[in-house]
Amino acid sequence: MYFLKNAGSAVSWHHEFGGLFGRDKIVPTVLEAMDIIEHLAAIPLFSGLSREDLDDLVPVVQYKTYQRGERIFAEGDEGTGFYVVISGRVKVYKLSFEGKEQILHMFEPGAPFGEAPVFAGKAFPANAEALEESVLLYFSRNAFIERINKNPSLSLNMLAILSERLHTFTRLIEDLSLKETPGRLAAYLLYLSERQGALDNLELGISKTQLASILGTIPETLSRIFSKMTKQGLIDSDGHGRFRILNRLMLERLAAGEVRFSQSGSHTEE
Amino acid sequence: MYFLKNAGSAVSWHHEFGGLFGRDKIVPTVLEAMDIIEHLAAIPLFSGLSREDLDDLVPVVQYKTYQRGERIFAEGDEGTGFYVVISGRVKVYKLSFEGKEQILHMFEPGAPFGEAPVFAGKAFPANAEALEESVLLYFSRNAFIERINKNPSLSLNMLAILSERLHTFTRLIEDLSLKETPGRLAAYLLYLSERQGALDNLELGISKTQLASILGTIPETLSRIFSKMTKQGLIDSDGHGRFRILNRLMLERLAAGEVRFSQSGSHTEE
DNA sequence: CCGTTCTTTTGACTTAAGTCAAGGACAAAG
DNA sequence: CTTTGTCCTTGACTTAAGTCAAAAGAACGG
C-alpha cells in the first residue's frame, strides 16, 4: 500500500552517528567516505551500481541531521537537490488553509524523497519534517544529473522509484475519492499486517493522530472507527499501538468497498 | 493544475489518418516512417533527440486507433508498453466497487501515458479509455528500455515527465483531502482560464459528468455548485460549456480554501 | 420529424464525517 | 507526588455531499 516507504534492505541501518559527522559537513574524510559507500551500497536507488560508480558519488553527497519535529524543506522552496533517509523517519505532507494536515508519504531508511523537483525543475510541492532524530544524505541536483547522464542503470533505478511512487499516489487518490474512512483504515491495517509478516498481529508504529493524517481524516473520526471495529469484533487492541486482526475477511471486504461499515459487522448489538 | 495534460506544441496534430494505417500495423512503410518521425519529433518526451535517435525509435513503435468509448487497457493488465496520444483524447480512471469513477488524468495529443508500469514492472494501476476516436503510438517496454539505456537525454525527459505527473497527483491529493468541492471547481475554472489564455472566458471542453469525475464528485453535486456560483455572481454561463469569470478574486479565495462557499459570495439574497 | 437515449437540473432525504467541547489516560518534568 | 502537556476518547451538534427519484433539455439515428 501507499503508506510507508521501506527500503526492504536487511542491512543494519542503525549505526551510531553520534558526533562522527556534523550537520552539513561537505568534504568527507577517508573514514567517512568508507562509511558513505557502505550507506550508498544499501540504498535501492543505487543497486546494481559498480564500486567505481559509488566512489564517484561520494564527493557529491552530504550528511545532514535533523531533530524530531525539525522541518527539512517547505512547500515552495526551490528544489536544489534530494534526500535519502539513512536513519530515522521523515514525513512529507500538505497543509490546508485551516491547518489540517495530509501526509503524502512517510519515508524510512533507504528511501529517497524530494526527487521530483530535481527533474521537473520546480519547487517542492509539499513540506518535509523529521518525525524523530534523523540522518539524511543530501544529493545536489546538478551533480546528480551529471551522474545520471553517465549511468543508465542509475536512471532506470530512479525511473522505477518514481513509477512506484506514482503507483502509491494512484492508490491514495483512489482511497480518498472512492472509499470511506473505515475502508481506508481497514486497508491500512491489512497492509501493516502483511508488511510486518506477523500473521494477524500488527503494530502501528505511529501515533493515531499521524495515522489520521495519513488516512485523510481527523483523530476524532479515526478514534470512533477504531472503537466501532473493536466493538464489532473485527480487531482487538492492547491499548499500546498493537493490534490483532480478528476478522480478516470482513476487513478485506471493507477495504474493497464491498460492504459499508454501518451495515457490516458481526452485529454484537444489544 | 493537474487536470489536463497538454503537449503545448503548436504543431498541427490533427492530420487525417483515414485508412493510411490500420490498427496494430507493425512493419512501417517508408512513407509511414516519415510520418512517424514527424510525430515523434513533436512529442515533448523526445525533445532534444537527434534525427538518428528518432530514426532508431521508428521500428519499435506501432500505431493503434481506438473508437470513442473503447478501452485501451484495464486495471490489472500487464504493462508491456506505453502509449503516446497522437490525436484524440484519452482518460485514465479508477472505478469504485459501486461504479463511481475518479478520473486521474486526461491526456491530449503529445502526452505519454501508461509509462509507470514499464519501469516499475507492475500491472496497470488504472483503466484507460478513448474519449473520442484516437490515434495512439504504442512503445513496447523492452525496446524502449533499450533506447533509454543508450540515451541519457531520453531518460531525463522521461524523469521530468514522471516528476511532473507526481506533482499533479500531489495537487489532486491535496484537493481531495483538504479542499471542498466548490474550491476544487473554482481551481479548475481558474486553471482552464489560464490555460486557454482568453482572459475571463473559458470553455469546459468536456461534459459536466466527466468534470464531476475529475473533481472527485457526482454530477448532481457539481450541478448545484455551478448554479450557486452563478446565483452568487461568480461566474456566468452560455449554457453550452462556455463560461465567463465574473469574480476572479472570490474564485481564487475559494480555490485557496480561504473562504467557505456557504458563507462567501456577493449575497444576492432576497 | 419523432422516438430513444444521454446529460443536466432540481427537490427531498440520508448519511459520513467534521466541529466544538469536555474529560480521561499517560508520560515527562519539577 | 503533583504539575504540565500531549494524545486519545466520547458526546452533542452541524454540515457537506451522496442517494433516490423525477423531469426537462439536448443529441442522435432512423
Side-chain angles (χ1 to χ4, degrees):
Chain A
M1 291 306 269
Y2 50 81
F3 313 99
L4 276 171
K5 199 86 211 168
N6 195 342
S9 141
V11 173
S12 135
W13 276 100
H14 296 280
H15 294 254
E16 302 87 45
F17 291 96
L20 231 187
F21 9 74
R23 174 154 183 180
D24 286 33
K25 189 157 233 173
I26 296 188
V27 182
T29 68
V30 175
L31 261 179
E32 282 176 10
M34 288 175 57
D35 208 60
I36 293 177
I37 296 226
E38 204 177 297
H39 284 145
L40 292 177
I43 296 171
L45 173 59
F46 303 119
S47 75
L49 266 64
S50 69
R51 174 66 197 237
E52 297 90 62
D53 291 335
L54 294 181
D55 284 344
D56 194 37
L57 277 168
V58 169
V60 317
V61 307
Q62 292 173 50
Y63 282 103
K64 300 197 180 199
T65 64
Y66 294 85
Q67 298 309 308
R68 170 190 158 94
E70 196 177 351
R71 194 195 280 159
I72 299 159
F73 55 76
E75 183 171 350
D77 286 358
E78 202 194 346
T80 58
F82 71 96
Y83 302 81
V84 175
V85 182
I86 299 301
S87 72
R89 211 149 44 147
V90 168
K91 73 173 171 187
V92 171
Y93 62 99
K94 283 264 188 183
L95 289 178
S96 78
F97 185 80
E98 297 94 358
K100 187 184 169 194
E101 174 188 281
Q102 170 70 50
I103 293 180
L104 297 173
H105 252 302
M106 300 208 21
F107 294 97
E108 299 197 334
F113 67 96
E115 337 81 316
V118 164
F119 304 109
K122 297 212 171 162
F124 288 113
N127 312 283
E129 181 185 314
L131 286 171
E132 42 196 272
E133 183 171 357
S134 301
V135 177
L136 312 179
L137 270 181
Y138 175 76
F139 297 76
S140 84
R141 180 198 154 96
N142 294 337
F144 188 76
I145 287 188
E146 235 176 68
R147 297 308 183 288
I148 274 208
N149 268 319
K150 296 181 188 147
N151 203 324
S153 136
L154 183 52
S155 63
L156 279 175
N157 283 350
M158 188 55 101
L159 283 168
I161 284 173
L162 292 185
S163 298
E164 179 65 37
R165 192 146 320 151
L166 272 172
H167 194 187
T168 66
F169 274 10
T170 299
R171 272 190 303 253
L172 180 50
I173 292 167
E174 174 185 14
D175 284 1
L176 288 172
S177 166
L178 303 176
K179 288 182 189 167
E180 314 192 326
T181 313
R184 305 208 282 272
L185 174 57
Y188 187 81
L189 295 176
L190 291 169
Y191 154 77
L192 272 192
S193 91
E194 190 192 340
R195 201 174 80 102
Q196 296 176 1
L199 212 53
D200 283 347
N201 291 290
L202 56 93
E203 191 171 354
L204 280 194
I206 53 175
S207 77
K208 290 186 176 175
T209 302
Q210 295 287 296
L211 178 54
S213 167
I214 288 175
L215 298 180
T217 186
I218 56 174
E220 292 97 318
T221 298
L222 182 63
S223 180
R224 287 182 235 273
I225 294 169
F226 261 124
S227 79
K228 206 162 172 184
M229 281 188 176
T230 306
K231 227 174 282 167
Q232 297 195 353
L234 302 189
I235 57 173
D236 191 18
S237 154
D238 74 343
H240 296 283
R242 309 194 115 280
F243 292 83
R244 177 185 290 266
I245 291 177
L246 299 178
N247 188 341
R248 178 173 288 264
L249 179 62
M250 189 57 74
L251 283 182
E252 282 166 351
R253 299 181 64 198
L254 258 177
E258 285 176 45
V259 290
R260 298 300 210 69
F261 194 47
S262 28
Q263 308 158 7
S264 83
S266 344
H267 300 299
T268 320
E269 289 165 16
E270 58 227 297
Chain B
M1 291 303 271
Y2 52 78
F3 315 98
L4 276 171
K5 200 82 210 169
N6 195 342
S9 139
V11 173
S12 137
W13 276 101
H14 297 281
H15 294 253
E16 301 89 41
F17 291 96
L20 232 190
F21 9 76
R23 173 153 184 182
D24 286 33
K25 187 158 235 174
I26 296 188
V27 183
T29 68
V30 174
L31 262 179
E32 281 176 10
M34 287 174 60
D35 208 62
I36 292 177
I37 295 225
E38 203 177 296
H39 283 145
L40 291 178
I43 296 171
L45 172 60
F46 303 118
S47 76
L49 266 63
S50 68
R51 174 64 196 238
E52 298 89 61
D53 291 335
L54 294 181
D55 285 345
D56 195 36
L57 277 169
V58 170
V60 317
V61 308
Q62 291 172 49
Y63 283 103
K64 300 197 181 200
T65 64
Y66 294 85
Q67 298 309 307
R68 171 190 158 94
E70 197 178 350
R71 194 195 278 159
I72 299 158
F73 54 75
E75 183 170 351
D77 287 358
E78 199 194 348
T80 58
F82 72 96
Y83 302 81
V84 175
V85 182
I86 299 301
S87 73
R89 210 151 42 149
V90 167
K91 73 173 171 187
V92 170
Y93 61 100
K94 282 265 187 181
L95 290 177
S96 78
F97 186 80
E98 296 95 358
K100 187 184 168 194
E101 173 189 281
Q102 171 70 49
I103 292 180
L104 298 173
H105 252 302
M106 298 208 22
F107 294 98
E108 298 197 336
F113 67 95
E115 337 80 318
V118 164
F119 304 110
K122 298 212 171 164
F124 289 112
N127 313 283
E129 181 186 314
L131 286 171
E132 43 196 89
E133 183 171 357
S134 302
V135 177
L136 312 179
L137 269 181
Y138 176 77
F139 296 76
S140 84
R141 179 199 154 97
N142 293 337
F144 188 76
I145 287 188
E146 236 175 68
R147 298 309 184 288
I148 274 208
N149 267 319
K150 296 183 187 146
N151 202 324
S153 136
L154 183 53
S155 63
L156 280 176
N157 282 350
M158 187 55 100
L159 283 168
I161 285 173
L162 292 184
S163 297
E164 178 66 38
R165 190 144 322 149
L166 273 172
H167 194 184
T168 66
F169 274 10
T170 299
R171 274 192 302 254
L172 179 50
I173 291 167
E174 174 185 14
D175 285 1
L176 289 172
S177 166
L178 303 176
K179 289 181 188 166
E180 314 191 325
T181 312
R184 304 208 282 272
L185 174 57
Y188 187 82
L189 295 175
L190 292 168
Y191 154 77
L192 272 192
S193 91
E194 190 192 338
R195 200 174 81 103
Q196 297 176 0
L199 212 53
D200 283 346
N201 291 291
L202 57 93
E203 191 172 352
L204 280 194
I206 52 174
S207 76
K208 291 186 177 175
T209 303
Q210 296 287 296
L211 177 54
S213 168
I214 287 174
L215 298 180
T217 185
I218 57 173
E220 292 96 319
T221 298
L222 182 63
S223 179
R224 286 182 237 273
I225 294 169
F226 261 125
S227 80
K228 206 162 170 184
M229 281 188 175
T230 306
K231 227 174 280 167
Q232 298 195 352
L234 302 189
I235 56 172
D236 191 18
S237 154
D238 74 344
H240 296 282
R242 308 194 114 281
F243 292 83
R244 176 185 291 264
I245 291 177
L246 300 178
N247 188 339
R248 179 174 289 266
L249 179 63
M250 189 55 74
L251 282 183
E252 281 166 352
R253 299 181 65 200
L254 258 177
E258 285 175 46
V259 290
R260 297 301 210 70
F261 194 47
S262 30
Q263 307 157 7
S264 83
S266 341
H267 301 298
T268 320
E269 289 165 15
E270 59 226 297

